[in-house]
Amino acid sequence: MSRLKEGIPKGELKILKRIYWRSQNYGMLWSYSRWCGNATTWILYPFINWLYPDSEDKERKIAALKREQGLMNINPQMAPIIYSLFMNMEKEAAKNPGFDVSSIAAIRAALQGPLSGIGDSIFWVTWRLVSAGVALPLCMSGNAFGPLLFFLLFNIPSYIVRYVLLYSSYKMGDKIITQAEENNIMSSIIRAASIVGLIMVGYMVAANVAVPLNVSMTISDQTVNILEMIDGIVPGILSLGLTYVITRLLKKRVKIIYIFLGIFVIGILGAAVNIF
């Protein structure tokens, strides 16, 4: 971690430490008008207060705080990149009166979507499913360590990534985005994360969605279980088919409660006539 902080002045390191811990409360002060904009202002307040310590700079400090209060909605794991960019730009604005402060809002608007796409693909789609896939067998067996394992697996990498991104992107400043776009890194990360996420979704469907058909047929004096025969041809195809049907219903805006009730009714009726 020492290399991570190398080159950052001591005074700024203390502020970055406060920014890191404050950023854990990213979802506080949520509102429909600014989303997480109010929390962003609160998170960056120590830095802006450090930029404008004198009373004669009060108006510039208030203007900076208001700039950071704009509409903000970004994946929390990727948010440190935005915070670092804001801090570097605010530092430049404090040193250079001719700096175009409207570029801060432009950066905010331009990067929320792409960075959220990366963060959501990696954490909320891919890593959350990986963590759940590891912990779920313990949970299903009644082991109390299962939920704790999921909590640790999902959150520890999140805290580490936030920490690394905050310090590394603060050191790099606005170069991080330019380099990522020039090298086409963003699109590659999104694509790779999406592929891994789809693989994990497929695994979760095969492992946890069951269609327990109890139908048999007799062929040449031999009893053949239909479910075993189908799984022998295309393993898990019934589970995949059920998932597909439910997904289509959700896309058609069918209420989840209706889908649940439909599954219950079909399951009860199927069990009553020995289909399940």
Side-chain angles (χ1 to χ4, degrees):
M1 291 297 180
S2 58
R3 290 185 180 179
L4 192 64
K5 300 177 181 180
E6 189 178 349
I8 303 176
K10 253 186 181 179
E12 293 178 42
L13 281 175
K14 290 182 179 179
I15 295 171
L16 287 176
K17 184 178 180 180
R18 294 183 65 189
I19 298 293
Y20 172 74
W21 288 113
R22 281 181 169 234
S23 69
Q24 309 308 318
N25 298 317
Y26 170 71
M28 67 178 288
L29 300 176
W30 192 93
S31 69
Y32 285 102
S33 59
R34 293 187 177 91
W35 292 347
C36 294
N38 292 327
T40 302
T41 305
W42 180 79
I43 291 167
L44 297 179
Y45 178 79
F47 187 83
I48 293 174
N49 193 50
W50 171 73
L51 287 176
Y52 303 103
D54 300 325
S55 58
E56 57 265 26
D57 292 327
K58 183 178 179 180
E59 289 186 6
R60 296 184 68 192
K61 181 198 292 188
I62 292 174
L65 290 171
K66 286 183 177 179
R67 280 195 297 271
E68 302 306 336
Q69 210 173 12
L71 190 70
M72 181 73 165
N73 188 27
I74 188 174
N75 173 274
Q77 286 79 21
M78 295 292 108
I81 297 178
I82 288 279
Y83 300 151
S84 298
L85 287 170
F86 287 169
M87 286 187 285
N88 277 285
M89 297 176 82
E90 290 290 357
K91 187 195 293 185
E92 183 63 27
K95 292 188 297 185
N96 179 13
F99 180 78
D100 183 9
V101 294
S102 65
S103 61
I104 298 175
I107 285 290
R108 181 199 304 268
L111 295 183
Q112 288 184 71
L115 289 177
S116 292
I118 294 174
D120 290 345
S121 298
I122 293 173
F123 282 94
W124 294 107
V125 176
T126 305
W127 186 242
R128 183 175 63 165
L129 289 175
V130 171
S131 303
V134 173
L136 196 57
L138 292 174
C139 296
M140 295 183 71
S141 65
N143 192 323
F145 182 65
L148 178 61
L149 179 61
F150 172 77
F151 177 83
L152 295 175
L153 283 176
F154 181 73
N155 285 287
I156 289 176
S158 173
Y159 279 89
I160 294 173
V161 167
R162 291 188 194 190
Y163 187 87
V164 172
L165 285 180
L166 180 65
Y167 286 90
S168 59
S169 56
Y170 182 77
K171 285 170 60 176
M172 294 182 68
D174 57 0
K175 292 179 183 177
I176 185 173
I177 301 301
T178 304
Q179 291 178 2
E181 289 178 347
E182 288 177 354
N183 298 325
N184 203 29
I185 293 174
M186 283 191 178
S187 59
S188 299
I189 292 175
I190 293 174
R191 180 174 175 80
S194 299
I195 291 171
V196 175
L198 289 172
I199 292 172
M200 289 306 301
V201 169
Y203 160 74
M204 296 288 284
V205 168
N208 298 293
V209 178
V211 183
L213 278 180
N214 188 29
V215 179
S216 302
M217 58 186 296
T218 303
I219 302 176
S220 301
D221 298 328
Q222 290 187 347
T223 302
V224 178
N225 185 282
I226 299 297
L227 179 59
E228 291 178 357
M229 183 178 69
I230 294 173
D231 282 341
I233 300 171
V234 186
I237 189 65
L238 292 180
S239 300
L240 180 62
L242 177 60
T243 305
Y244 175 77
V245 170
I246 292 173
T247 302
R248 294 295 299 176
L249 291 173
L250 290 172
K251 286 186 175 181
K252 291 181 178 295
R253 300 184 181 278
V254 177
K255 292 184 178 180
I256 294 178
I257 187 64
Y258 295 157
I259 296 174
F260 282 161
L261 290 174
I263 293 173
F264 289 155
V265 170
I266 293 172
I268 292 170
L269 292 177
V273 296
N274 293 323
I275 293 178
F276 301 126

